[in-house]
Amino acid sequence: MLTNKPRAKILVDGGDPDETLGVKKLLGFVDGQTTNPSLVAKNPEIQQRIASGDTLSPKEEKEEYRKIVQAISPLVGDAGVSIEVFADLDTSAEEMLAQGKEMFTWIPNAYIKYPCTHEGLKAAEMSVRERIRVNITLCFSQEQAAAVYAASKGSKEPVYVSPFVGRLDDIGENGIDLVENIRAMYKNGDGHVHVLAASIRNLDHLLSSFALNAELVTVPAKVLEKWAASNFPMPDQAFTYNGIGANGQRLKPISYKVLDLNLPWQSFNIAHELTTMGIQKFVADYRATLKRSA
Ligand code: E4P
């Protein structure tokens, strides 16, 4: 069991309550949970239903999602459970908000995940006015994080922004740099946005997120199991991230940009191809469960 709890809140990145329970036993606590359509599609019960030829309508899929987050909710602490709206590239802010409002009633500790797009940020802006807690996902640039800050200004609740470390590494860029840059940029702000390091693939990512003082980090159970198996190492003063990708290549540094957090959120260039691809992947994984079962 973990005795020296890190400052960063630890969330389980998954879609299976049994897995969350396993991590809770291993660590002694779980601060929160993130889910997404791909992770929910992998839930063992959903997979079993599909394998047995059962049919899942979109309504039933939503019901399954609700049951999963309701089972996870009491297992986790105050970092809550992030529930992602089902959005494709044409989903409007109003449609996302309608889903977000409903999902927010599922559990008392919900955070609603909206994609870091124009419509997603519009939905987030409307949500925070209604005191719906939000997590802006699929963040791949400092501009996007600046827009999240500006769109959610005045929120009474902490807002999460999720930079995706591993997916930047996948295209040869140093995803940990993005976490560092966003943290540095937010030092000039009012502290209402918390950095949730996501798409964590290995112990180096985890320890770097701790070293950079990310407020939260969401981690697959497998990585947390490795951390436990190595007796929960923590970064010391001398810790440096090696910036080496999964294939042994040196990752391209991402440089810091000076951005004015007081500008309107619409003035930031929030386009990023990985955000678009991320939405497409979530849609494909979600639809795959429906298609095979329909
Ligand atoms: C969590 O909020 C994210 O959806 C998740 O960390 C993405 O991880 P991946 O890039 O490994 O799919």
Side-chain angles (χ1 to χ4, degrees), residues 13 34 36 113 164 167 198-199 201 218:
D13 199 15
T34 51
N36 68 39
K113 273 172 110 175
F164 273 34
R167 293 195 196 183
S199 187
R201 304 272 170 80
T218 186

mmCIF file of all heavy atoms in Angstrom, residues 13 34 36 113 164 167 198-199 201 218, ligand 1:
data_model
loop_
_atom_site.group_PDB
_atom_site.id
_atom_site.type_symbol
_atom_site.label_atom_id
_atom_site.label_comp_id
_atom_site.label_asym_id
_atom_site.label_seq_id
_atom_site.Cartn_x
_atom_site.Cartn_y
_atom_site.Cartn_z
ATOM 1 N N ASP A 13 -7.630 5.504 -15.143
ATOM 2 C CA ASP A 13 -8.070 5.734 -16.515
ATOM 3 C C ASP A 13 -8.627 4.402 -17.028
ATOM 4 O O ASP A 13 -7.867 3.499 -17.383
ATOM 5 C CB ASP A 13 -6.820 6.145 -17.330
ATOM 6 C CG ASP A 13 -7.152 6.837 -18.625
ATOM 7 O OD1 ASP A 13 -8.307 7.280 -18.802
ATOM 8 O OD2 ASP A 13 -6.238 6.960 -19.465
ATOM 9 N N THR A 34 -11.236 8.558 -14.780
ATOM 10 C CA THR A 34 -11.635 9.095 -16.081
ATOM 11 C C THR A 34 -12.113 7.934 -16.936
ATOM 12 O O THR A 34 -11.576 6.821 -16.859
ATOM 13 C CB THR A 34 -10.471 9.807 -16.803
ATOM 14 O OG1 THR A 34 -9.335 8.942 -16.832
ATOM 15 C CG2 THR A 34 -10.110 11.114 -16.111
ATOM 16 N N ASN A 36 -13.807 7.146 -21.097
ATOM 17 C CA ASN A 36 -14.062 7.719 -22.424
ATOM 18 C C ASN A 36 -14.772 6.648 -23.243
ATOM 19 O O ASN A 36 -14.844 5.482 -22.815
ATOM 20 C CB ASN A 36 -12.764 8.253 -23.068
ATOM 21 C CG ASN A 36 -11.769 7.157 -23.430
ATOM 22 O OD1 ASN A 36 -12.148 6.082 -23.897
ATOM 23 N ND2 ASN A 36 -10.488 7.422 -23.218
ATOM 24 N N LYS A 113 -16.940 15.480 -19.571
ATOM 25 C CA LYS A 113 -15.831 15.653 -20.517
ATOM 26 C C LYS A 113 -16.358 16.131 -21.861
ATOM 27 O O LYS A 113 -17.198 15.475 -22.483
ATOM 28 C CB LYS A 113 -15.126 14.308 -20.746
ATOM 29 C CG LYS A 113 -14.040 14.007 -19.743
ATOM 30 C CD LYS A 113 -13.543 12.590 -19.939
ATOM 31 C CE LYS A 113 -12.154 12.539 -20.500
ATOM 32 N NZ LYS A 113 -11.655 11.148 -20.577
ATOM 33 N N PHE A 164 -2.915 15.290 -23.479
ATOM 34 C CA PHE A 164 -2.713 13.860 -23.785
ATOM 35 C C PHE A 164 -1.230 13.609 -24.094
ATOM 36 O O PHE A 164 -0.774 13.777 -25.237
ATOM 37 C CB PHE A 164 -3.564 13.459 -24.994
ATOM 38 C CG PHE A 164 -4.977 13.041 -24.664
ATOM 39 C CD1 PHE A 164 -5.680 13.616 -23.621
ATOM 40 C CD2 PHE A 164 -5.610 12.058 -25.411
ATOM 41 C CE1 PHE A 164 -6.981 13.231 -23.316
ATOM 42 C CE2 PHE A 164 -6.906 11.658 -25.125
ATOM 43 C CZ PHE A 164 -7.604 12.245 -24.081
ATOM 44 N N ARG A 167 -0.229 10.427 -26.654
ATOM 45 C CA ARG A 167 -0.587 10.574 -28.073
ATOM 46 C C ARG A 167 0.323 11.587 -28.776
ATOM 47 O O ARG A 167 0.520 11.496 -29.989
ATOM 48 C CB ARG A 167 -2.060 10.960 -28.232
ATOM 49 C CG ARG A 167 -2.975 9.831 -27.792
ATOM 50 C CD ARG A 167 -4.397 10.007 -28.266
ATOM 51 N NE ARG A 167 -5.273 9.124 -27.510
ATOM 52 C CZ ARG A 167 -6.569 8.996 -27.719
ATOM 53 N NH1 ARG A 167 -7.146 9.694 -28.672
ATOM 54 N NH2 ARG A 167 -7.304 8.174 -26.985
ATOM 55 N N ALA A 198 -2.946 13.260 -18.894
ATOM 56 C CA ALA A 198 -3.672 12.084 -19.397
ATOM 57 C C ALA A 198 -2.857 11.390 -20.481
ATOM 58 O O ALA A 198 -1.802 11.877 -20.885
ATOM 59 C CB ALA A 198 -5.026 12.523 -19.947
ATOM 60 N N SER A 199 -3.383 10.254 -20.926
ATOM 61 C CA SER A 199 -2.695 9.439 -21.927
ATOM 62 C C SER A 199 -1.292 9.089 -21.416
ATOM 63 O O SER A 199 -0.283 9.270 -22.086
ATOM 64 C CB SER A 199 -2.637 10.203 -23.265
ATOM 65 O OG SER A 199 -2.131 9.415 -24.307
ATOM 66 N N ARG A 201 1.406 6.542 -20.377
ATOM 67 C CA ARG A 201 1.687 5.191 -20.882
ATOM 68 C C ARG A 201 2.725 4.427 -20.068
ATOM 69 O O ARG A 201 2.878 3.234 -20.233
ATOM 70 C CB ARG A 201 2.194 5.294 -22.325
ATOM 71 C CG ARG A 201 1.268 6.022 -23.273
ATOM 72 C CD ARG A 201 0.259 5.067 -23.889
ATOM 73 N NE ARG A 201 -0.772 5.799 -24.609
ATOM 74 C CZ ARG A 201 -0.614 6.298 -25.849
ATOM 75 N NH1 ARG A 201 0.533 6.129 -26.483
ATOM 76 N NH2 ARG A 201 -1.604 6.921 -26.433
ATOM 77 N N THR A 218 -4.198 10.956 -14.625
ATOM 78 C CA THR A 218 -5.048 9.769 -14.804
ATOM 79 C C THR A 218 -4.223 8.670 -15.448
ATOM 80 O O THR A 218 -3.516 8.902 -16.442
ATOM 81 C CB THR A 218 -6.337 10.079 -15.594
ATOM 82 O OG1 THR A 218 -7.146 8.895 -15.575
ATOM 83 C CG2 THR A 218 -6.101 10.530 -17.032
HETATM 84 C C1 E4P B 1 -8.333 10.212 -20.233
HETATM 85 O O1 E4P B 1 -9.077 11.105 -19.877
HETATM 86 C C2 E4P B 1 -8.026 9.960 -21.648
HETATM 87 O O2 E4P B 1 -9.196 9.699 -22.360
HETATM 88 C C3 E4P B 1 -7.016 8.849 -21.781
HETATM 89 O O3 E4P B 1 -5.961 9.108 -20.886
HETATM 90 C C4 E4P B 1 -6.506 8.643 -23.199
HETATM 91 O O4 E4P B 1 -5.459 7.712 -23.181
HETATM 92 P P1 E4P B 1 -4.882 7.030 -24.499
HETATM 93 O O5 E4P B 1 -4.209 8.071 -25.324
HETATM 94 O O6 E4P B 1 -3.925 6.002 -24.014
HETATM 95 O O7 E4P B 1 -6.071 6.444 -25.225
#
